[in-house]
Amino acid sequence: MRIVWVKAGKLLPVDSGGKIRSHNLLRHLAQKHPVTLLTYYGGSRDENYAAAIDKEFPGAVTIHTPAADGDGLKQAVHYLRHLRHHAPYSVSKFTDREVTRTVKRFFDEQSCDVAVCDFLSASLNFPSHLSIPSVLFQHNVESKLWERIAVTETSPVRKLAYQIEARKMRRYETAALRRFRHVIAVSDQDREQMLAMEPTCDISVVPTGVDTKQFAISPPTSGTPPRVAFVGTMDWEPNIDAAEYFCKEIWPRIKKAYPDAKFQLIGRSPHTRVRRLATESITVTGTVPSVTDFLRDATVIVVPLRVGGGTRLKIYEAMAMGKAVVSTTIGAEGLNVQSGRDLILADEPVAFADSVLALLRDAELRRRYE
């Protein structure tokens, strides 16, 4: 079976939940089927990336696009230019003429048996009439994600933008579920939410997993000084919100009890709002050579997400390494975990801080979650 896999953004390095899922599925599919990866990205041209991805997936098609990257004024102007587009900005900004022509050529030449659209973001590059069986790989229920972002946002300007994005996304995502022949979800919960939007769509669930060789059980830490860590892509809005929420509403209570405690925000591309959180006790690492090194040294892992969708690989990775985890309910959404057995769930700032403190104080309690 010949497969074409279309991915917006770079697949390498494999440093986010979405990339990890896509990379592992592609790697296993390529062992039994001819797979052509079409990967396209904006920002600066990166010849090293093209060489690396072709080495890993021979025959990969790499396209550099003029899409806007970064934050600030450039992104705001790019957003305003797309405001009248019928599709949500998080889809239209990943649409490119050269990518669209290349995908169309795959369909016109019938050079594949199945086409996979990885994330909804790449979907506008697909023909309106899908003459080849096409699969939409949904890592999140995107409309639910944007609705939650709009609810938690406090800036009036950003809140309005997110509300517009959520409305557009609801219409667009519903149509996409109807348009693609098959949909892959990452949890039963996501599947039920998508079926509620479009009952006729055909959906399979591919559960989240962890490479237990890479994320192997680690020796218990001494907890002196206490190290708390949050891992994630730090330019993704749900993680930005989670970082701000934890640092402003939870961390002060922990710091009061443990003045020498350290908190690490670990992940690539930290947004300006994340970088501003850095203090003497809060470290913003940016890209790190190995997340496992930081997880190994952490006393407690936190997932303070108030917004999200899909499933959080970071929780399974921490659990695989024998780390105690405190998460919000949304942070652990879609995972087969139970509070008090696998991790601790806490949705209010005081309860969250108290749960972290209980684990910092009690090494035996931490061991129960190994």
Side-chain angles (χ1 to χ4, degrees):
M1 181 172 62
R2 300 167 301 166
I3 302 169
V4 166
W5 187 292
V6 182
K7 171 81 172 70
K10 294 178 179 179
L11 183 61
L12 303 177
V14 185
D15 55 6
S16 70
K19 289 183 180 182
I20 291 169
R21 289 191 198 95
S22 299
H23 184 268
N24 285 337
L25 286 174
L26 275 165
R27 187 164 51 87
H28 286 286
L29 284 170
Q31 292 175 2
K32 295 184 178 181
H33 305 280
V35 175
T36 301
L37 170 63
L38 169 55
T39 169
Y40 64 101
Y41 66 96
S44 303
R45 187 177 295 276
D46 188 347
E47 299 299 339
N48 291 332
Y49 172 69
I53 203 71
D54 186 65
K55 182 178 181 181
E56 187 140 356
F57 299 102
V61 179
T62 307
I63 298 175
H64 174 254
T65 74
D69 261 5
D71 50 40
L73 180 61
K74 184 178 181 181
Q75 191 173 38
V77 171
H78 197 253
Y79 170 76
L80 291 173
R81 286 177 178 172
H82 286 72
L83 193 57
R84 292 188 178 182
H85 202 290
H86 74 281
Y89 177 66
S90 53
V91 172
S92 62
K93 73 175 182 177
F94 288 109
T95 305
D96 177 79
R97 290 180 181 177
E98 185 179 355
V99 176
T100 300
R101 285 195 297 267
T102 305
V103 174
K104 184 176 184 296
R105 188 165 64 249
F106 283 120
F107 278 76
D108 290 346
E109 296 174 357
Q110 298 288 301
S111 56
C112 63
D113 302 304
V114 175
V116 178
C117 178
D118 191 1
F119 277 93
L120 195 63
S121 52
S123 59
L124 266 183
N125 296 292
F126 279 65
S128 54
H129 173 62
L130 299 174
S131 56
I132 292 172
S134 300
V135 176
L136 175 61
F137 186 9
Q138 282 277 73
H139 298 248
N140 306 292
V141 181
E142 297 291 342
S143 53
K144 179 64 69 175
L145 177 66
W146 287 102
E147 287 165 6
R148 287 172 171 173
I149 292 175
V151 169
T152 58
E153 181 55 58
T154 56
S155 164
V157 174
R158 287 201 297 264
K159 191 178 190 71
L160 176 61
Y162 296 152
Q163 288 172 337
I164 293 171
E165 185 77 357
R167 287 195 294 270
K168 285 186 174 182
M169 184 60 79
R170 171 66 67 165
R171 292 193 297 268
Y172 184 85
E173 188 170 27
T174 301
L177 294 174
R178 190 180 307 121
R179 176 181 167 214
F180 283 82
R181 182 174 297 188
H182 194 77
V183 178
I184 297 174
V186 298
S187 72
D188 289 328
Q189 181 165 324
D190 278 14
R191 180 178 184 273
E192 293 306 313
Q193 290 178 353
M194 284 186 271
L195 285 173
M197 294 166 61
E198 178 48 60
T200 65
C201 64
D202 187 20
I203 306 178
S204 297
V205 176
V206 177
T208 294
V210 174
D211 183 347
T212 52
K213 291 183 180 179
Q214 180 183 0
F215 294 91
I217 193 79
S218 63
T221 60
S222 66
T224 306
R227 296 183 183 275
V228 181
F230 174 44
V231 180
T233 303
M234 291 299 165
D235 62 349
W236 192 48
E237 184 59 38
N239 286 341
I240 297 170
D241 175 78
E244 290 181 326
Y245 168 60
F246 186 86
C247 289
K248 294 175 182 178
E249 300 190 38
I250 299 170
W251 184 243
R253 188 177 179 89
I254 297 170
K255 192 75 169 60
K256 183 177 180 180
Y258 285 92
D260 62 339
K262 303 296 181 183
F263 178 47
Q264 294 177 316
L265 287 161
I266 306 159
R268 65 179 175 87
S269 307
H271 191 277
T272 302
R273 287 158 57 195
V274 175
R275 293 197 299 269
R276 287 174 184 158
L277 298 171
T279 65
E280 185 179 347
S281 67
I282 300 173
T283 301
V284 179
T285 69
T287 301
V288 296
S290 173
V291 170
T292 56
D293 292 339
F294 286 84
L295 289 176
R296 189 177 298 111
D297 293 338
T299 316
V300 176
I301 304 298
V302 295
V303 186
L305 286 166
R306 300 186 296 177
V307 177
T311 55
R312 254 60 59 193
L313 272 169
K314 57 176 71 75
I315 289 182
Y316 277 168
E317 290 169 349
M319 291 170 61
M321 294 188 71
K323 294 297 176 178
V325 178
V326 181
S327 173
T328 57
T329 301
I330 284 178
E333 192 174 54
L335 300 179
N336 183 24
V337 293
Q338 180 180 322
S339 184
R341 183 192 67 185
D342 307 299
L343 77 178
I344 299 176
L345 297 181
D347 291 318
E348 298 301 323
V350 172
F352 200 111
D354 288 348
S355 297
V356 174
L357 287 171
L359 289 167
L360 294 180
R361 293 185 182 117
D362 191 340
E364 182 56 37
L365 179 61
R366 295 198 300 273
R367 291 191 192 98
R368 293 180 197 173
Y369 294 97
E370 292 181 358

